[in-house]
Amino acid sequence: MISAIPLFGGLPVGPELLIILLVLVLLFGANKIPKLARSTGQAMGEFKKGREEIEEELKDMDDGEEGSTLDDEDDEFDDLETETEKETSA
């Protein structure tokens, strides 16, 4: 006996899918379903675009941090100390 392996894990098929579609039509109406699908697609596109921008900024920050070292920051702090000492002694 050969058993059928579902192609998609938990996706509804057959009568379950028809019931879900019927409920969607009853809730939103036949005219609003295309608008709902379009707005969902636009929202997903904006989310993907925002995610890519954040990933790019994080990558740029990582690249920028590799060039600077703690020694550079210590030198800047030492310069500030000497300027402050000059101002207080004058």
Side-chain angles (χ1 to χ4, degrees):
M1 203 190 241
I2 299 174
S3 62
I5 299 173
L7 187 59
F8 300 106
L11 292 179
V13 291
E16 295 94 3
L17 185 62
L18 290 175
I19 292 171
I20 291 172
L21 290 175
L22 179 66
V23 169
L24 284 175
V25 169
L26 289 174
L27 287 175
F28 298 108
N31 294 334
K32 290 189 180 182
I33 290 177
K35 292 177 186 177
L36 181 65
R38 188 178 308 115
S39 64
T40 303
Q42 288 174 347
M44 289 175 60
E46 289 292 323
F47 179 77
K48 182 179 178 183
K49 185 177 172 183
R51 187 190 71 209
E52 289 173 353
E53 288 177 1
I54 291 174
E55 287 175 352
E56 185 176 320
E57 287 178 16
L58 290 173
K59 185 178 179 182
D60 290 343
M61 287 175 59
D62 285 342
D63 293 343
E65 287 180 2
E66 290 174 5
S68 69
T69 61
L70 289 177
D71 293 335
D72 294 340
E73 293 174 6
D74 288 341
D75 291 342
E76 291 175 12
F77 186 70
D78 290 340
D79 291 341
L80 288 173
E81 283 182 344
T82 55
E83 288 177 17
T84 316
E85 289 173 358
K86 288 179 184 176
E87 290 175 1
T88 55
S89 64

